[in-house]
Amino acid sequence: MQRVSDDRLLKNDSYINGDWLSSGEKFSVSNPASGEIIARVSNAGISETELAIESAKKAFPAWSAMSANERARILHKWFELLMQHQHDLGIILTSEQGKPLAEAKGEIAYGAAFIEWFSEEAKRVYGDTIPAPSGDKRIVVIKQPIGVVAAITPWNFPNAMMARKAAAALAAGCTFIVRPASQTPLSALAMAELADQAGIPAGVFNVVVGEDASGMGKVLSQHPDVTKFTFTGSTPVGKLLISQCASTVKRVSMELGGNAPFIVFDDADIDAAVQGALISKYRNAGQTCVCTNRIFVHEKVIQAFTDKLMTEVKNLSVGDGLTEGVEIGPMISQQACDDVLKLIRASEKLGASTVLGGQPHIAGENYLQPTIMTGVKNDMPIASNEIFGPVSAIIPFRDEAEVIAMANDTEYGLAAYFYSRDIGRIWRVAEGLAFGMVGINEGIISNAAAPFGGVKQSGNGREGSKYGLDDYLEIKYLCMGGLNS
Ligand code: SIN
């Protein structure tokens, strides 16, 4: 791995109860850009996961009793440390995940922003008073931390997906255990080192890294001492985890798959729409849940839009994310490339045309050519599945009602985007799209101040924003009676 300036960030063991827990059995973490093994990590399993839960349970009374101001100060220190180490953390992230260094550093800032945001929100957990039905009573509502939170986070955002869950949980007064994806454990472990340096007490924040996804997932989702479970990942795995959480009736929040429509109306600013599609489709090599999946373009502007998009996509530089100027890194694995290629081939057979790319890229076995397909229909595999790769699937449409119906014709409901300059249409379409987040003349919508989350089979709960703490708080109603003298 490229050298980092602070070696303390390179950790290879789970972080449990404030200690680094080594084990004899190791697993390898490799750089998807080259296949090079960059770390051998202690392979934690069921017993380490149980130990982490026990530690989080023990740490809960003191952490939840700490004043919000004190928790805020510690979280703010963690935020500052993350930003001070942004470059090193970016190198670690690119080395294990593949995204270009500039994008990785952007992710570090994005993840840290949630910690900063929730360090501030920690002080704003307000209750309520409610007029009681009789004069001798008073009704008061208080909010309390839900307890021990378990999280499973994905490989596509190894820093930010964990940061935005942990930040909200810790700010609310909960304690936390996370199992990061085994492809990308190093970013989470580096964050744990900085959590330790920031003064987060032992047991409040725990990271268990291991290959036994199913065994560790079962413990985290079924253990009676875990009161809340949160997951970012695919819809099928989310469904399984929800069913496992049912045995102990845990609170769950799920950020699952997406199939984002990106609609370009004939009154749109086409250049702006092309830039929006480019960033929303090709960032992280198309491997985000909010990536544009289906591009609907009005037939009057489809040629102009496609030509301009082609010019931009042809110029994207593909390669190792640590090489200066690279804009698209590798996919996470060869299997991920094969899955995308299968969708392309199956849709070609049904009549879609690949007008750019569509093949493995010469940069290496985990790389795909940035691709554009035209003549796509909404029910073709490249449109009905979440692509999770750098492929634009362009679908023509004629009118507003038709395109809203096509956009909503999916079991997913995470993000949607559209471009129009007509104010009446903007309201109609924004309200008509059955998605949790809508970008209007905007291709990048994620930030700490906004509620991130989906509807339908894209999940539930919201991360970030003033709503983000709610998922980690219980509402308690206090009824005071006998107040008349
Ligand atoms: C995701 O892909 O799940 C998250 C993307 C984001 O936060 O922008």
Side-chain angles (χ1 to χ4, degrees):
M1 167 149 50
Q2 187 171 312
R3 274 192 66 80
V4 293
S5 55
D6 187 344
D7 283 348
R8 288 175 302 171
L9 297 177
L10 301 176
K11 290 287 189 271
N12 297 327
D13 300 317
S14 288
Y15 178 73
I16 300 174
N17 202 29
D19 285 326
W20 298 97
L21 203 78
S22 179
S23 75
E25 197 199 322
K26 310 278 180 197
F27 68 96
S28 301
V29 177
S30 51
N31 182 341
S34 58
E36 176 207 358
I37 292 179
I38 52 172
R40 300 267 305 144
V41 176
S42 294
N43 196 8
I46 288 175
S47 59
E48 291 84 356
T49 308
E50 285 168 346
L51 186 65
I53 294 172
E54 198 185 308
S55 312
K57 186 183 176 192
K58 274 202 199 117
F60 178 71
W63 180 251
S64 57
M66 199 181 257
S67 76
N69 272 353
E70 278 175 275
R71 284 200 301 269
R73 263 195 296 276
I74 297 174
L75 286 174
H76 204 268
K77 180 76 193 154
W78 194 20
F79 155 73
E80 284 165 5
L81 287 170
L82 287 161
M83 290 310 292
Q84 275 163 29
H85 292 84
Q86 184 182 14
H87 187 74
D88 277 356
L89 293 169
I91 289 176
I92 294 170
L93 203 160
T94 295
S95 304
E96 64 177 350
Q97 199 276 338
K99 67 180 67 173
L101 182 59
E103 228 180 292
K105 286 169 74 175
E107 181 182 336
I108 304 305
Y110 175 48
F114 286 98
I115 297 175
E116 182 186 38
W117 175 269
F118 283 112
S119 74
E120 293 154 356
E121 285 298 296
K123 295 179 254 176
R124 297 188 193 108
V125 177
Y126 301 119
D128 238 331
T129 58
I130 300 174
S134 62
D136 67 336
K137 289 194 176 69
R138 297 290 182 272
I139 295 177
V140 177
V141 172
I142 61 169
K143 290 186 182 171
Q144 292 182 302
I146 194 162
V148 173
V149 174
I152 296 183
T153 53
W155 51 261
N156 62 342
F157 285 84
N159 173 297
M161 296 304 98
M162 190 191 84
R164 73 181 177 197
K165 294 179 192 304
L170 267 55
C174 300
T175 53
F176 189 83
I177 307 116
V178 61
R179 178 193 179 271
S182 54
Q183 296 95 323
T184 57
L186 305 180
S187 293
L189 295 175
M191 288 172 78
E193 165 61 24
L194 296 176
D196 196 70
Q197 289 181 24
I200 294 181
V204 169
F205 176 74
N206 305 275
V207 183
V208 277
V209 291
E211 284 190 307
D212 182 8
S214 138
M216 294 165 87
K218 269 197 186 132
V219 175
L220 293 171
S221 59
Q222 292 180 333
H223 199 292
D225 290 336
V226 171
T227 35
K228 149 98 198 198
F229 182 83
T230 170
F231 171 68
T232 296
S234 74
T235 295
V237 175
K239 286 180 185 175
L240 174 71
L241 290 165
I242 292 171
S243 74
Q244 289 174 185
C245 286
S247 63
T248 48
V249 197
K250 290 190 201 322
R251 181 101 71 88
V252 294
S253 53
M254 294 277 151
E255 201 259 273
L256 306 178
N259 183 346
F262 184 103
I263 307 169
V264 185
F265 287 98
D266 52 348
D267 58 60
D269 173 338
I270 300 299
D271 290 329
V274 167
Q275 289 309 316
L278 195 66
I279 186 82
S280 141
K281 175 69 254 182
Y282 294 95
R283 81 169 165 135
N284 203 11
Q287 303 170 110
T288 89
C289 303
V290 291
C291 266
T292 287
N293 211 61
R294 298 167 289 158
I295 306 185
F296 297 99
V297 190
H298 193 278
E299 58 184 19
K300 278 194 196 148
V301 293
I302 198 163
Q303 196 58 52
F305 175 88
T306 308
D307 290 348
K308 286 178 188 228
L309 187 66
M310 287 257 275
T311 306
E312 296 286 344
V313 176
K314 262 186 203 156
N315 287 332
L316 289 172
S317 152
V318 179
D320 184 332
L322 289 173
T323 305
E324 183 74 33
V326 159
E327 291 159 299
I328 301 207
M331 302 283 287
I332 192 68
S333 63
Q334 202 172 8
Q335 180 63 50
C337 294
D338 289 347
D339 291 346
V340 175
L341 288 169
K342 268 190 208 135
L343 295 177
I344 296 175
R345 299 289 92 88
S347 304
E348 284 170 345
K349 280 205 184 111
L350 295 169
S353 309
T354 302
V355 292
L356 187 72
Q359 298 296 335
H361 193 280
I362 47 161
E365 62 185 19
N366 289 350
Y367 292 86
L368 278 183
Q369 292 177 342
T371 297
I372 298 182
M373 300 186 79
T374 57
V376 174
K377 297 208 167 68
N378 207 24
D379 58 359
M380 288 182 180
I382 200 72
S384 58
N385 291 281
E386 186 176 25
I387 305 170
F388 240 62
V391 183
S392 285
I394 300 182
I395 306 172
F397 75 92
R398 280 202 187 133
D399 72 67
E400 192 181 298
E402 174 204 14
V403 78
I404 293 175
M406 283 200 287
N408 288 344
D409 187 14
T410 165
E411 72 259 29
Y412 295 112
L414 192 58
Y417 309 86
F418 69 93
Y419 278 67
S420 168
R421 307 304 301 176
D422 176 317
I423 188 68
R425 166 170 286 156
I426 284 175
W427 277 103
R428 286 192 303 275
V429 177
E431 289 174 1
L433 287 170
F435 292 81
M437 300 175 282
V438 181
I440 303 161
N441 298 319
E442 188 55 67
I444 287 287
I445 55 176
S446 310
N447 62 75
F452 190 104
V455 299
K456 294 159 71 178
Q457 294 189 31
S458 287
N460 49 40
R462 292 294 178 267
E463 297 188 324
S465 83
K466 69 171 182 171
Y467 306 104
L469 278 184
D470 293 346
D471 281 333
Y472 298 91
L473 293 166
E474 287 290 12
I475 288 177
K476 187 182 278 180
Y477 147 56
L478 311 179
C479 180
M480 298 188 201
L483 299 181
N484 287 348
S485 57

